[in-house]
Amino acid sequence: KQCNLVITSPPYWSAQNYENLHMLSFKLFGLKTENGAEIGRNGSGYLEDMKNVFAQIAQILTGYFALVIGEDDKNRQNEKLFKTAMEMGFVPVDTVVRRISNQTSNAKQIKNEFIYIFKL
């Protein structure tokens, strides 16, 4: 284990099409991606993809893990991620709720953002 702190904000499931959002950057730098393969595109594989991320974090973590995720009123993915992290051995330490306002994008409007803080 090598890391005292990990902070991550994974893609918000179905909130944005990250591939289209970053297409210009990918073309500019000559990068390639598997069409539709990014985390957050496919709802059925989202939690499994995030379990893989959590497992990799657990391999290097010696301290705290902060997960920043938007509230998902419809699918409750933020709650599912919290529960998944606990099932994988992360112990909740604190939760901070931040109200999001002044959103101007065409993306799914997110009312609250959660910062879940865990310790392994």
Side-chain angles (χ1 to χ4, degrees):
K1 299 192 180 204
Q2 313 162 8
C3 187
N4 291 323
L5 175 67
V6 172
I7 301 172
T8 186
S9 181
Y12 297 174
W13 180 78
S14 78
Q16 293 193 31
N17 182 327
Y18 291 94
E19 187 175 343
N20 287 342
L21 185 65
H22 299 292
M23 183 179 3
L24 181 60
S25 298
F26 271 73
K27 287 184 178 184
L28 181 65
F29 294 109
L31 302 171
K32 296 183 182 195
T33 181
E34 292 181 35
N35 190 15
E38 74 268 9
I39 294 174
R41 173 63 74 85
N42 179 344
S44 64
Y46 180 71
L47 285 177
E48 198 59 40
D49 288 344
M50 290 308 302
K51 281 182 184 179
N52 290 333
V53 171
F54 292 165
Q56 291 177 27
I57 291 170
Q59 289 178 2
I60 63 165
L61 188 66
T62 59
Y64 293 92
F65 166 40
L67 175 68
V68 181
I69 188 78
E71 183 176 30
D72 182 352
D73 290 336
K74 184 177 179 184
N75 296 307
R76 302 284 192 215
Q77 290 293 352
N78 58 298
E79 295 171 7
K80 292 175 185 175
L81 280 177
F82 182 84
K83 182 179 175 185
T84 298
M86 288 192 328
E87 289 170 354
M88 296 187 70
F90 293 95
V91 178
V93 174
D94 198 3
T95 298
V96 178
V97 181
R98 184 177 79 91
R99 178 104 176 116
I100 299 176
S101 61
N102 299 326
Q103 296 182 55
T104 58
S105 74
N106 292 329
K108 181 169 109 178
Q109 297 296 301
I110 299 168
K111 296 175 189 167
N112 295 301
E113 184 173 66
F114 292 87
I115 304 169
Y116 298 125
I117 302 170
F118 299 96
K119 188 168 177 127
L120 193 57

